[in-house]
Amino acid sequence: MTWGWVNLGKMRSSKQPLGFGREPSFADVSWERALQGFARRVYPANTMIAGDPHTRSVILIITSGWAAFAKTLPNGSRLIVDFALPHEIALIEFAGESSETVTALSDVAAIELPGPVHSCFSRYPQPICEAILRAEASRYSRVAEHLAGVSRRGAVERTAHLLLELACRAHRSATSYPDRVHCPLTQAELADALGLSAVHVSRVLKSLREAGLASFRNGVVRLHDHARLIETAGFDRSYISN
C-alpha cells in the first residue's frame, strides 16, 4: 500500500505524498469527477475486506476508516503487516491462498478501482497510475521498516516507533508531530502489529506513559514528549514522508 496526492484536474502528478499536503485535495471536485463511475464500498468495523480464496486484485482509495493487512500462520497466530489509513491508497493484490487478509478496524469507506496494479497504465490516466505506483513503493518502505522493528528493535523502541508512524500518517503533516490522534486499535491488534503478546504490550505502554513519553488509551494516542520519544524510537520519518 502506498499513497500520493494527485491533481487530476490538470492531469499531472503532484510531487507531494498523499496525506502530507497542507491542503489535501482528495475530496476536490477534480477527484470526484475523475472517479465517477467507480464503485463506492462501505465495510463495517471488524469485517473482512479481502481474504477469501476468490478475492480479486483491487485498488482501494480509502476515504474514511482504518484497515489492517495481516498474515495468519498455520498455528493461528497473526501478524499485522501494515495499516491503511484515511486518504491512502490500499493495494490488494490477490496471490491465491497465501494472500494477506485485509480487515476493517473501524467502519471503512472506499472507492474501488479494479486491479491488478501492473495493469493500471492500460486502465487509468497517468496521474492516477503515478499515485498508485507511489503507493506501492511507500508500502514497501513501511513493511521493510516494520520488519526491522520486529526483528531488531527492543519492545519499547518498536512500540514507540509504531506509535510515531501511525500518528504521523493520521496527522498528515510532513513537518510537525501531533499531540494526539484517534487510533481505533485494540491492544490485541497493536500486539499483532508489534509481534508481542498483549500482556507485554500493556507493560510497554505503561512504561512509556510513566516515562512521560506517550500513552494509548480509549482509542487515542497521545505523544507527550516528541523529542524524547523520537530519540527513544530512533525514528526517521523520511520513509513515510518522501
Side-chain angles (χ1 to χ4, degrees):
M1 156 190 12
T2 52
W3 27 300
W5 286 112
V6 292
N7 185 330
L8 298 179
K10 296 182 180 180
M11 294 303 292
R12 60 182 176 81
S13 65
S14 165
K15 294 183 179 180
Q16 290 183 327
L18 176 62
F20 284 155
R22 287 186 177 179
E23 298 181 4
S25 57
F26 188 85
D28 286 355
V29 174
S30 57
W31 267 104
E32 289 299 317
R33 186 185 306 118
L35 297 174
Q36 282 180 356
F38 290 108
R40 263 65 172 175
R41 307 290 187 195
V42 176
Y43 304 93
N46 302 313
T47 61
M48 187 171 290
I49 296 173
D52 185 278
H54 302 292
T55 296
R56 296 172 295 114
S57 296
V58 297
I59 299 159
L60 294 182
I61 299 174
I62 308 294
T63 56
S64 65
W66 287 43
F69 286 71
K71 182 71 178 180
T72 301
L73 303 181
N75 64 5
S77 62
R78 183 179 72 156
L79 176 67
I80 292 180
V81 179
D82 194 20
F83 295 97
L85 274 60
H87 308 299
E88 295 184 357
I89 298 176
L91 308 179
I92 300 174
E93 293 282 25
F94 178 61
E97 294 184 0
S98 64
S99 296
E100 297 166 311
T101 59
V102 186
T103 304
L105 300 175
S106 61
D107 292 345
V108 170
I111 301 170
E112 180 183 299
L113 282 63
V117 171
H118 66 73
S119 69
C120 70
F121 282 101
S122 64
R123 293 172 178 262
Y124 310 117
Q126 182 178 347
I128 295 180
C129 297
E130 291 178 355
I132 291 170
L133 293 180
R134 283 197 300 273
E136 190 171 41
S138 185
R139 190 196 183 211
Y140 176 86
S141 295
R142 289 199 305 275
V143 171
E145 196 69 38
H146 294 175
L147 176 61
V150 171
S151 61
R152 290 293 182 265
R153 293 188 182 103
V156 171
E157 290 79 7
R158 81 177 75 163
T159 302
H161 199 282
L162 182 60
L163 292 179
L164 280 164
E165 178 193 305
L166 295 177
C168 287
R169 290 170 64 189
H171 184 54
R172 303 201 309 277
S173 170
T175 58
S176 65
Y177 290 87
D179 293 324
R180 67 190 300 275
V181 294
H182 174 65
C183 179
L185 302 182
T186 66
Q187 197 160 286
E189 289 162 346
L190 188 60
D192 286 344
L194 293 167
L196 301 170
S197 69
V199 172
H200 198 167
V201 168
S202 180
R203 294 190 187 120
V204 171
L205 291 175
K206 181 180 179 180
S207 68
L208 289 172
R209 184 173 65 252
E210 291 179 342
L213 297 178
S215 59
F216 178 35
R217 286 179 173 174
N218 301 320
V220 176
V221 172
R222 288 182 170 85
L223 309 182
H224 303 301
D225 189 328
H226 297 164
R228 288 174 56 218
L229 189 63
I230 291 167
E231 182 180 4
T232 297
F235 187 71
D236 178 354
R237 67 188 300 163
S238 61
Y239 76 99
I240 57 171
S241 59
N242 283 339

